[in-house]
Amino acid sequence: MNATTVRVLYIDDEEHNLHAFKASFRRQYEIYTANSAEEGLKILQSVSVHVIIADQKMPQTTGVEFFKSISDTYPDPIRILLTGYTDIEALADAINHGDIYRYITKPWNDLELHNSMKNAYDAYKAKIDLKNKIAELEKTNDELNRFIYSISHELRAPLVSAMGIVNLVKMEGLFESSGEYWGLIETCSNKLDYYVQKTLQYYKNNKTVFEHTSIDFAKLIPE
């Protein structure tokens, strides 16, 4: 890890903690500090940070509440919570909601906090790599679907022509007099047309957008 490229935001209402944090890690990380959740949010709006560290006990909001408030807008940064030993309920709440990567007890140990930030950045990179790979797969899948749709249409055009010729032969009364060849052509054409239409149906089904809605089972099940 090239630590100088890692951007860390630390939010704490106690100024001496902010100064101590910056003094301890400014040579290893690109440090941003905020003395309130509101100030931290302003920094997030202008700086793309990799790791966010927030103190649990702050006057206007808790660290857990702050993490919850930014989870939709800023989902990528990895979150670390600083807390005292008595905040067990807050820790359980944060972990259950998936808002924190880990927690560090105060007062922190510099080596422990450094290792946590290093591991958090590794988790951030893995998270971004996964998102990029998913995006690439979705793009490839979309291109493949469009290719299948295009090829299926191109295949069906000559098939329809061949089937039309077979019908014309039938209308002219030449179908039976030509032996089994026209029957074989008709059978093969129908079979290939069946698979082409199945392929087109798969493409259409794959493009369908599903809407998820919640179900109130209490209303469905009579008392």
Side-chain angles (χ1 to χ4, degrees):
M1 179 190 73
N2 184 1
T4 58
T5 64
V6 182
R7 293 182 291 275
V8 179
L9 169 62
Y10 174 41
I11 305 171
D12 196 321
D13 63 303
E14 298 183 25
E15 289 289 341
H16 66 276
N17 284 339
L18 297 178
H19 294 315
F21 182 86
K22 198 161 191 174
S24 297
F25 301 109
R26 60 186 173 83
R27 294 184 179 180
Q28 299 162 295
Y29 302 91
E30 187 175 327
I31 302 297
Y32 297 86
T33 59
N35 60 11
S36 68
E38 183 179 1
E39 186 179 341
L41 184 58
K42 290 180 180 179
I43 293 174
L44 286 176
Q45 291 169 349
S46 59
V47 180
S48 177
V49 302
H50 304 119
V51 181
I52 305 174
I53 302 173
D55 183 35
Q56 168 61 9
K57 290 189 177 298
M58 293 185 287
Q60 297 179 342
T61 185
T62 66
V64 170
E65 290 170 345
F66 174 73
F67 285 150
K68 287 181 181 178
S69 70
I70 64 170
S71 60
D72 291 334
T73 311
Y74 302 99
D76 293 331
I78 305 300
R79 299 152 170 75
I80 296 175
L81 188 71
L82 281 179
T83 180
Y85 288 103
T86 58
D87 294 323
I88 302 302
E89 184 177 345
L91 289 176
D93 184 45
I95 293 171
N96 288 337
H97 286 83
D99 290 320
I100 66 168
Y101 171 70
R102 67 165 302 175
Y103 71 92
I104 302 291
T105 55
K106 296 175 70 175
W108 68 75
N109 175 278
D110 281 1
L111 180 59
E112 180 188 11
L113 188 51
H114 165 68
N115 288 334
S116 295
M117 288 189 287
K118 176 180 178 297
N119 293 335
Y121 180 63
D122 290 339
Y124 172 87
K125 290 191 296 182
K127 187 177 184 180
I128 296 301
D129 287 344
L130 179 60
K131 286 182 65 175
N132 291 337
K133 284 181 171 58
I134 290 174
E136 290 175 6
L137 286 173
E138 288 176 344
K139 180 182 178 182
T140 301
N141 185 62
D142 185 60
E143 291 174 350
L144 180 60
N145 282 332
R146 284 189 279 114
F147 173 76
I148 290 172
Y149 182 77
S150 176
I151 290 297
S152 298
H153 267 287
E154 291 178 9
L155 283 174
R156 194 155 193 269
L159 267 178
V160 171
S161 297
M163 293 165 69
I165 293 172
V166 171
N167 288 330
L168 184 61
V169 169
K170 285 182 177 180
M171 292 172 61
E172 295 292 332
L174 301 174
F175 189 82
E176 300 296 337
S177 62
S178 301
E180 62 181 6
Y181 298 111
W182 285 113
L184 288 173
I185 293 173
E186 181 181 39
T187 300
C188 293
S189 297
N190 287 335
K191 184 177 292 186
L192 186 54
D193 185 56
Y194 169 81
Y195 288 119
V196 169
Q197 291 197 59
K198 282 291 184 182
T199 302
L200 289 171
Q201 188 61 48
Y202 166 80
Y203 171 81
K204 292 176 182 178
N205 290 340
N206 201 44
K207 300 297 287 185
T208 302
V209 178
F210 296 96
E211 292 185 3
H212 299 277
T213 57
S214 59
I215 299 175
D216 188 350
F217 287 98
K219 294 181 179 179
L220 298 177
I221 302 174
E223 296 182 0

